[in-house]
Amino acid sequence: MSFNSLGLSDALLKAISKKGYSTPSPIQQKAIPPILEGKDVLASAQTGTGKTAGFTLPILQLLSQGQHLRQRPIRALILTPTRELAAQVYANIKEYSEFLDLRSAVIFGGVNQNPQVNQLRQGVDVLVATPGRLIDLQNQGLISLSKVEVLVLDEADRMLDMGFLRDIERIIKVLPSKRQNLMFSATFSKDIKKLAMGILHNPVHVEATPENTTVDAIIQKVYPVAKEKKTELIIKLISEGNWKQILVFTRTKQGANKLTESMISAGIRAAAIHGNKGQGARTKALAGFKDGSLTALVATDIAARGLDIPLLPHVVNFELPNIPEDYVHRIGRTGRAGASGEAISLFSPDETTFLRDIEKLVGMKLPVENIKGFEPDPNASTEPIKQGQGRQQRNSTPKKPKTDNANRSSTNSFGPRRPNQNNDRRSNR
Ligand code: AMP
């Protein structure tokens, strides 16, 4: 199948060809036609499948065919869970709309709102936003959503995980009731299904498993290791394997910082990326990782959402995630674009429950390899780590943690948010 046969306009085909895409990815083949027909779509797809083009191309086409109003009210609203994803989606839209008379903008928290407001004042057809900043600007009367024709919830599962349900509901209330709705999610929990049922009308279901997240395409290994030897082992793996680009996951922000410091002391160029890092530091770390000046990027699950890092050869779970779905997200970052990759989990005895949950979810036993000199004490306690608390905090009184939701503005005046079911599990990431 070619992009030509999907019914996209010449202006879009020109932009696609400029990007160097020759064939639409499976999710694009499946999602573009129903979106062009104006249908609601519920898509199962994660980052790396080409999902962004899957919804932005048809939206741009619909908007460019639609009636142009002089003031350019916002006609398409794309909500994303993180600033990084918002910025990436926006960058894609800019490229795809290069030959169209459409204007787009991105708004997110953590930066001065004035440039965003100025841009909105000039008229914007497509707005990409994180929920917090959108609500802030809406409350200040600086944004009108009364002409929105298409709503996209990108990475809807992440939005729920990050506690944005209430915000999404508030935003939807101020949208016109007659509109097209598109929802993208990598996982489909009960909550996601409920959200979808409340928002979508007779949706077309489309699904695309990225080539690389099939179990066969990723070499998965579990290395049992004494907890206190994990740092030594990962440094050994990187140094002796001469690894050039490795994404490492920790459960907590503190854990990410500590590991990064140890790596740097061992001569590995590393940076941490998590919710306590300012936007500048996050962007710099990601850029360094992409251009090869950094070898290791140490991330928490939430910070890693939606990062478009192509062709990652190694993903290491320094700590197993306590939410099994996160394992699937993490390993989906290796071997992207069809290449094979390796996902290694450093597993200590106290993570036995997490491993069991993961194996249950992926429906297979993960292959275990022992590394001489690093094996855990066979008598070590398998008592699970207390959920939601990092190792550093186990014996201390838990403080109200600063979460990755910190990218939401504190001036949100829509009232208190309902506690999220996963907040406890995610509290210090
Ligand atoms: P996404 O899943 O939207 O984050 O896209 C993942 C990566 O695939 C991005 O770098 C896109 O630029 C790229 N991409 C999207 N569609 C295609 C395509 N049809 N052919 C090749 N690359 C693509």
Side-chain angles (χ1 to χ4, degrees):
M1 187 186 268
S2 69
F3 278 105
N4 284 315
S5 58
L6 289 173
L8 296 169
S9 67
D10 288 346
L12 284 168
L13 292 175
K14 198 168 153 190
I16 292 166
S17 128
K18 200 170 162 190
K19 279 287 280 178
Y21 305 164
S22 50
T23 3
S25 70
I27 195 74
Q28 291 163 2
Q29 293 179 23
K30 291 178 193 166
I32 292 175
I35 299 175
L36 284 176
E37 284 173 34
K39 294 189 173 137
D40 280 11
V41 167
L42 178 60
S44 164
Q46 56 178 269
T47 304
T49 55
K51 68 176 167 69
T52 315
F55 63 80
T56 49
L57 291 170
I59 288 177
L60 292 171
Q61 168 117 341
L62 290 174
L63 295 185
S64 61
Q65 286 167 347
Q67 204 191 356
H68 281 261
L69 300 168
R70 220 155 43 90
Q71 291 90 355
R72 288 185 189 266
I74 296 162
R75 288 188 290 151
L77 174 65
I78 299 163
L79 294 179
T80 74
T82 63
R83 304 166 190 175
E84 281 84 5
L85 184 60
Q88 268 170 220
V89 171
Y90 171 66
N92 277 309
I93 292 175
K94 289 290 280 181
E95 288 173 321
Y96 301 144
S97 60
E98 184 182 345
F99 306 107
L100 294 171
D101 177 24
L102 290 173
R103 283 196 213 142
S104 49
V106 61
I107 60 171
F108 46 72
V111 291
N112 187 330
Q113 71 173 42
N114 295 340
Q116 299 175 354
V117 173
N118 288 339
Q119 208 180 351
L120 291 171
R121 283 209 179 104
Q122 286 161 33
V124 162
D125 302 284
V126 185
L127 181 67
V128 187
T130 53
R133 177 56 58 95
L134 180 68
I135 287 178
D136 278 347
L137 297 188
Q138 228 254 329
N139 280 343
Q140 296 172 56
L142 296 169
I143 202 163
S144 166
L145 300 172
S146 63
K147 299 276 189 256
V148 168
E149 297 163 21
V150 190
L151 168 71
V152 182
L153 295 184
D154 194 11
E155 302 205 350
D157 48 351
R158 295 297 140 209
M159 288 208 254
L160 292 195
D161 282 352
M162 292 173 73
F164 286 134
L165 177 61
R166 185 76 171 232
D167 288 349
I168 293 170
E169 289 169 350
R170 304 262 175 191
I171 292 165
I172 284 171
K173 275 202 187 120
V174 299
L175 300 180
S177 53
K178 194 175 166 295
R179 53 168 205 271
Q180 186 176 11
N181 301 288
L182 314 175
M183 191 162 134
F184 286 72
S185 190
T187 51
F188 282 87
S189 63
K190 257 199 223 127
D191 287 338
I192 281 288
K193 286 184 189 145
K194 203 169 137 203
L195 180 70
M197 272 164 56
I199 295 177
L200 304 164
H201 303 287
N202 299 325
V204 174
H205 291 246
V206 297
E207 194 175 342
T209 323
E211 293 160 51
N212 45 42
T213 55
T214 58
V215 172
D216 305 342
I218 299 172
I219 302 160
Q220 300 175 72
K221 285 183 200 162
V222 172
Y223 293 156
V225 53
K227 194 168 177 163
E228 61 281 3
K229 287 204 164 177
K230 282 191 174 185
T231 305
E232 193 188 329
L233 178 57
I234 196 169
I235 289 171
K236 176 184 151 84
L237 290 171
I238 297 173
S239 314
E240 293 184 4
N242 200 17
W243 292 356
K244 300 278 183 253
Q245 202 183 32
I246 159 181
L247 181 62
V248 185
F249 285 95
T250 60
R251 262 196 308 273
T252 67
K253 294 182 264 203
Q254 300 92 329
N257 285 342
K258 204 169 155 216
L259 177 60
T260 305
E261 281 162 26
S262 305
M263 284 181 166
I264 292 169
S265 306
I268 296 168
R269 288 164 303 161
I273 185 162
H274 55 65
N276 278 3
K277 295 270 175 189
Q279 188 58 34
R282 286 157 76 161
T283 308
K284 193 170 157 225
L286 184 60
F289 189 57
K290 281 187 175 178
D291 71 19
S293 52
L294 284 177
T295 302
L297 188 66
V298 185
T300 56
D301 291 285
I302 287 176
R305 292 293 165 258
L307 295 185
D308 178 22
I309 305 163
L311 291 174
L312 215 47
H314 305 283
V315 167
V316 173
N317 298 311
F318 183 76
E319 290 158 327
L320 289 182
N322 51 353
I323 296 172
E325 283 82 4
D326 282 345
Y327 177 82
V328 180
H329 282 287
R330 289 177 178 191
I331 70 164
R333 302 192 159 275
T334 179
R336 299 187 51 186
S340 71
E342 194 175 45
I344 288 173
S345 300
L346 308 190
F347 157 66
S348 54
D350 58 340
E351 295 173 311
T352 303
T353 320
F354 299 160
L355 182 62
R356 221 179 284 139
D357 287 350
I358 290 165
E359 290 183 332
K360 215 164 115 195
L361 180 77
V362 299
M364 63 181 270
K365 277 243 165 266
L366 299 178
V368 172
E369 272 183 35
N370 286 299
I371 300 194
K372 217 170 170 297
F374 288 89
E375 302 93 337
D377 175 353
N379 299 319
S381 164
T382 55
E383 194 192 323
I385 298 156
K386 236 175 149 189
Q387 304 283 323
Q389 291 187 30
R391 286 180 293 153
Q392 295 81 358
Q393 294 187 345
R394 287 186 77 186
N395 298 323
S396 59
T397 317
K399 280 183 278 189
K400 172 123 183 53
K402 204 171 171 206
T403 71
D404 270 15
N405 289 347
N407 66 352
R408 307 181 68 258
S409 164
S410 55
T411 55
N412 175 359
S413 59
F414 268 144
R417 291 191 298 140
R418 204 181 304 151
N420 177 271
Q421 59 156 12
N422 278 329
N423 273 358
D424 279 355
R425 282 191 152 203
R426 295 203 182 271
S427 58
N428 50 4
R429 310 225 235 146

